[in-house]
Amino acid sequence: MTPLSSSSSSCSSLPFPIPIHTRSSSSSSSSSSSSFIYYFPVLSNVRTQIQCSASTTDVCTQSPKIDTSLLTIAESFYEDELWAAASLRVRSFNRFHPDTFGLQDHRKYLAEREFEALKERVSGKRLGFRRVSCINASLPMSHILSLSLSDDFCSSCKFSDGGEDRVVVGTLDLNQCLSLPDEISGTKPELNEPDITRAYLSNVCVAEELHRNGLGYALLEKSKLVAYDWGITDLYVHVAVDNEPAKKLYTKSGFVYESDEPAWQARFLDRPRRLLLWKGLAIS
């Protein structure tokens, strides 16, 4: 429950102060203004885990239905919640054989690496990024336990908020920058200073146990609101060309095709070729 901090030298170019908070029982009321309680119909025809791996084409299984009135989607600036988000990303973007030697140690190593990188980005210390926000969807631990989900999921993705144990069930990053490392860049806006009004979504994922609950769509809608508040006019996301569930989700959310990754680049990076999708955000 340690808040993020940053040195003045590394963040002097930011147009805003990095929020510094301390979790306590009295902090819940002050942080409620940044929360996003999203009530939405269940999207039974959309799988919501967004990965670059072809493993997203696994056979669909029936997922337990969540109580959406308990769902909170909000920006996170707290280390315990960022750790929970990092752990969910490791679970979502990697496939391990359960009998792998040292599996837990390897998962912990990957989570620590993502956690440190995430802290660096959110605190404004990563060069090339004007602003980064980690947006998480979470549910109360009590509700997660009532769904009889795995103990590993509950323990690795939990955090505490105002004395209540919660579990991160979906996460993404909103990055205000010209481009993301090793990714094709957007071309909009065509005017000056595109770094101020261009942003990218990354690390979009939803807990595998809770697919088909509309969580991915809800995360995207929240990210648009945050981007709009930042003055973003052009929002981008990369998606693997063979990731049909993700492409359907982004299309439903209003994203359209802009360009695609050259085949040679995908081969060089040893990954499926990626598409670049664009969504315009009207700024009044």
Side-chain angles (χ1 to χ4, degrees):
M1 286 122 47
T2 305
L4 290 181
S5 61
S6 56
S7 64
S8 58
S9 61
S10 61
C11 300
S12 59
S13 62
L14 291 173
F16 61 98
I18 297 296
I20 302 297
H21 305 293
T22 301
R23 285 202 190 278
S24 66
S25 58
S26 61
S27 66
S28 58
S29 60
S30 62
S31 63
S32 61
S33 61
S34 63
S35 297
F36 181 73
I37 310 300
Y38 195 91
Y39 302 92
F40 54 91
V42 172
L43 304 177
S44 59
N45 62 333
V46 179
R47 294 187 66 197
T48 54
Q49 184 172 4
I50 315 304
Q51 299 185 28
C52 299
S53 169
S55 61
T56 54
T57 57
D58 293 341
V59 177
C60 292
T61 57
Q62 186 64 34
S63 299
K65 299 305 177 186
I66 65 172
D67 182 350
T68 57
S69 67
L70 301 175
L71 180 67
T72 298
I73 303 182
E75 298 180 78
S76 174
F77 304 99
Y78 302 104
E79 288 195 353
D80 58 341
E81 188 174 350
L82 294 178
W83 172 264
S87 298
L88 178 60
R89 294 173 186 186
V90 170
R91 297 179 83 253
S92 299
F93 297 138
N94 298 276
R95 289 292 182 267
F96 304 102
H97 192 281
D99 296 330
T100 301
F101 177 77
L103 176 58
Q104 293 305 318
D105 289 339
H106 185 54
R107 280 182 171 176
K108 183 179 179 181
Y109 163 74
L110 293 176
E112 289 175 345
R113 188 171 66 176
E114 170 60 18
F115 174 59
E116 293 300 326
L118 182 56
K119 284 198 302 179
E120 182 183 40
R121 295 192 300 269
V122 171
S123 63
K125 297 179 180 180
R126 182 72 176 270
L127 294 178
F129 290 79
R130 183 171 179 82
R131 189 183 312 191
V132 177
S133 177
C134 175
I135 300 174
N136 294 329
S138 68
L139 286 166
M141 173 68 82
S142 58
H143 182 52
I144 295 294
L145 293 175
S146 72
L147 301 176
S148 300
L149 301 182
S150 69
D151 292 338
D152 172 69
F153 171 52
C154 296
S155 61
S156 63
C157 301
K158 72 175 182 179
F159 67 100
S160 181
D161 183 13
E164 178 187 44
D165 286 339
R166 298 184 69 86
V167 178
V168 172
V169 296
T171 180
L172 62 76
D173 290 340
L174 175 64
N175 310 272
Q176 186 177 13
C177 56
L178 280 172
S179 61
L180 295 177
D182 296 326
E183 300 286 3
I184 51 178
S185 302
T187 61
K188 299 179 179 65
E190 299 177 355
L191 303 177
N192 294 329
E193 299 183 335
D195 61 316
I196 295 178
T197 60
R198 181 190 301 172
Y200 297 83
L201 300 179
S202 63
N203 296 313
V204 186
C205 63
V206 168
E208 184 178 16
E209 296 87 342
L210 296 174
H211 286 176
R212 304 175 67 82
N213 273 288
L215 293 172
Y217 185 84
L219 277 167
L220 296 180
E221 293 305 295
K222 172 60 176 178
S223 70
K224 293 177 194 174
L225 293 177
V226 175
Y228 183 89
D229 288 343
W230 289 2
I232 299 299
T233 60
D234 298 276
L235 186 61
Y236 285 95
V237 66
H238 300 87
V239 60
V241 68
D242 59 353
N243 193 340
E244 294 301 329
K247 290 192 291 185
K248 290 179 180 178
L249 174 61
Y250 291 132
T251 299
K252 185 177 181 67
S253 189
F255 286 85
V256 297
Y257 170 87
E258 179 173 293
S259 63
D260 54 274
E261 182 179 44
W264 67 263
Q265 182 172 332
R267 288 194 300 269
F268 178 78
L269 295 171
D270 192 25
R271 67 185 186 192
R273 192 164 56 88
R274 304 198 187 198
L275 306 178
L276 179 63
L277 308 181
W278 167 82
K279 167 70 177 175
L281 302 179
I283 302 296
S284 58

